[in-house]
Amino acid sequence: LLLDLLPPGVCSLLNPAAIYANNEISLGDVEIYGFDYDYTLAQYSNLLHSMIFNTARDILIEQFKYPEGLGKYDYIPGFAIRGLHYDVQKSLLMKIDAFHYVQLGTAYRGLKPVPDEEVIELYGGTQHIPLYQMSDFYGKGPSLKQFMDIFSLPEMTLLSSVIDYFITHGIEFDQVHLYKDISDAIRDVHVKGVMYKWIEKDMEQYILHGDEIYAVLNRLVNHKKKLFLITNSPFSFVDKGMKHMVGKNWRDLFDMVIVQADKPNFFTDRRKPFRKLDDNGSLQWDKINQLEKGKIYKEGNLFDFLRLTGWRGSKVLYFGDHLYSDLADLMLRHGWRTGAIVPELETEIRIINTEQYMHSLTWQQALTGLLERMQMYQDAESKQVLLEWMKERQEIRSLTKNLFNPQFGSIFRTFHNPTYFSRRLVRFSDIYMASISCLLNYDVNFTFYPRRTPLQHEAPLWMDQLCTGCMKTPFLEEMVHIR
């Protein structure tokens, strides 16, 4: 039956190297391309996460005097996913959907799941998190913190490991102090430059896609596009990384390079003026009245940047990996076009393209349709059948979740709703992709048109046919060829 429901070619429908549009955007209208550096131009291997975890763990033991037994904990690849929320007071790491509901089965205290009943009890008999407790514009709420940075994967794992140790050994701890200590230890890894030294020492091992980044930048310059870089990283680190990926003359490609920008404050705070660096990275003292090509600038703010360059509105497209720090202000306050870099997209699409996923999803949809249609039958025998269908549907949903991540599932969906992360992705980015290199698959004048996905009252015109055993998805044959 499942094979009859699935049309030919559906298991290779999505292309991991494609760019996906939330909003219609024509690259032909874009004259200026801006980039973040870390996890945008420079993509890093997962080995970096283990190094961050180990170093922060050792800082906790040696400087914060945490128990030496923590040294037995190693980084667990694939434990956490991006976009999770952490309730500081309850020591809960969990996935929340776009409607502020906790996805049951995805709440963890330490390294162990918390039973659904306990989660509901902790939130006063509901799975819902009230708006006043939720994250603010930048992912920080009064009691909940959202982890949106790819660098936060080791932080979440360390947080869970330390809590696991304390609970296992019956040690009482103050949740607020513990969270702050771990945040400070992770921050020290970045602020004190330890991470930069590892990457500089072995760029071949840590930096991915270097040749493709050169190809993207070179192609844009050849088509008379202006390029700029705004990053929070220091100049010496960016300089070495760009020389590795692009070549010693990488600065010739950029009209503007701004380092240690202190995003997101760069986009909202008018107080910090720009400072110029010389070719050795030393600070200059002169007042900045213009931003010159080939020069390096530090700090500054977007308001001076706009005044000095005149680069405004939809002719500017800026790429970054952090939805809050990189993209939110630019889209909502300044009208720039934005592109989100989501490296996890590649892995998730490969999973979606598997026969196992498509079979699970199709049968889940079919069962949902049966439950919806047959729920009016309330005799004893029918009720039993309905219960069995509900149980089977729940089992399939769990199976589908586990294909992405056994603890938390996909970063884009709960069982059926978009995640809180996914809703922010749609809100703050015109387009999104796994890597900047995806731009190489499109003409520089290409127009991205978002697919007309159904609103719920339009759904019978679309995928609902699955539930009747007849699949007639509009434009399916055309979509198969968009590869």
Side-chain angles (χ1 to χ4, degrees), residues 89-368:
Q89 299 291 346
K90 297 177 175 64
S91 300
L92 277 187
L93 185 66
M94 55 197 165
K95 188 164 82 170
I96 295 177
D97 73 12
F99 302 97
H100 297 196
Y101 284 85
V102 179
Q103 181 182 359
L104 294 180
T106 67
Y108 276 70
R109 183 177 287 115
L111 299 171
K112 295 182 177 63
V114 177
D116 295 345
E117 305 77 31
E118 187 179 336
V119 174
I120 291 169
E121 187 181 335
L122 282 168
Y123 289 103
T126 178
Q127 297 162 243
H128 186 262
I129 310 290
L131 178 63
Y132 72 89
Q133 289 183 16
M134 286 293 290
S135 312
D136 67 3
F137 196 63
Y138 296 108
K140 298 171 185 175
S143 59
L144 263 71
K145 147 84 177 172
Q146 190 180 18
F147 291 101
M148 295 293 271
D149 195 331
I150 300 173
F151 283 132
S152 65
L153 293 172
E155 182 175 357
M156 286 185 274
T157 310
L158 182 60
L159 194 57
S160 300
S161 299
V162 174
I163 292 169
D164 181 78
Y165 180 88
F166 283 174
I167 290 173
T168 304
H169 291 81
I171 302 171
E172 285 191 24
F173 62 94
D174 184 287
Q175 292 98 328
V176 176
H177 289 320
L178 182 138
Y179 170 69
K180 186 176 185 308
D181 288 347
I182 290 167
S183 297
D184 288 348
I186 290 283
R187 188 201 61 208
D188 283 354
V189 176
H190 296 277
V191 171
K192 293 183 177 176
V194 183
M195 184 188 77
Y196 301 138
K197 289 173 185 169
W198 303 328
I199 296 170
E200 288 172 12
K201 196 178 288 185
D202 196 349
M203 292 195 186
E204 288 290 343
Q205 189 170 1
Y206 286 110
I207 295 182
L208 312 172
H209 311 304
D211 293 343
E212 293 170 354
I213 298 305
Y214 170 74
V216 170
L217 300 177
N218 202 48
R219 184 179 182 224
L220 292 173
V221 169
N222 288 340
H223 283 87
K224 311 300 182 197
K225 306 295 182 182
K226 294 183 182 296
L227 307 185
F228 67 94
L229 179 67
I230 302 177
T231 174
N232 286 351
S233 290
F235 172 67
S236 60
F237 174 69
V238 174
D239 185 47
K240 290 181 178 114
M242 291 299 286
K243 281 176 178 172
H244 171 76
M245 291 188 289
V246 177
K248 64 179 182 179
N249 297 322
W250 70 270
R251 283 163 54 187
D252 294 345
L253 299 172
F254 287 86
D255 291 81
M256 225 72 67
V257 175
I258 299 162
V259 298
Q260 291 175 276
D262 190 29
K263 295 179 292 181
N265 296 328
F266 180 88
F267 299 127
T268 57
D269 191 339
R270 298 171 181 264
R271 287 176 295 180
K272 282 186 181 176
F274 283 104
R275 297 193 67 175
K276 194 187 294 183
L277 302 179
D278 65 18
D279 290 341
N280 298 318
S282 300
L283 280 172
Q284 304 296 290
W285 300 99
D286 45 329
K287 184 177 174 64
I288 306 302
N289 295 311
Q290 59 178 328
L291 296 173
E292 303 171 62
K293 181 177 171 61
K295 302 296 183 185
I296 308 296
Y297 298 92
K298 178 184 174 182
E299 297 175 344
N301 64 81
L302 186 68
F303 302 93
D304 284 346
F305 181 87
L306 296 174
R307 178 174 57 81
L308 294 170
T309 62
W311 294 348
R312 296 178 183 278
S314 56
K315 65 182 180 182
V316 186
L317 171 57
Y318 184 80
F319 293 93
D321 69 286
H322 199 300
L323 302 183
Y324 298 134
S325 296
D326 289 325
L327 308 182
D329 287 303
L330 292 176
M331 169 173 271
L332 300 182
R333 299 176 197 262
H334 301 286
W336 286 12
R337 310 312 290 265
T338 55
I341 304 302
V342 189
E344 298 94 334
L345 191 63
E346 183 174 357
T347 303
E348 295 227 355
I349 285 177
R350 294 195 188 283
I351 292 166
I352 290 170
N353 280 339
T354 62
E355 203 168 297
Q356 185 181 11
Y357 176 84
M358 289 307 302
H359 279 195
S360 296
L361 182 66
T362 305
W363 189 238
Q364 183 182 311
Q365 293 283 82
L367 278 172
T368 303

Side-chain angles (χ1 to χ4, degrees), residues 56-82:
R57 177 201 62 201
D58 293 345
I59 289 171
L60 285 176
I61 295 168
E62 292 162 15
Q63 296 179 27
F64 291 74
K65 305 306 177 188
Y66 273 57
E68 291 190 3
L70 286 173
K72 294 178 182 175
Y73 284 81
D74 291 317
Y75 181 65
I76 308 167
F79 171 73
I81 61 170
R82 201 151 51 114

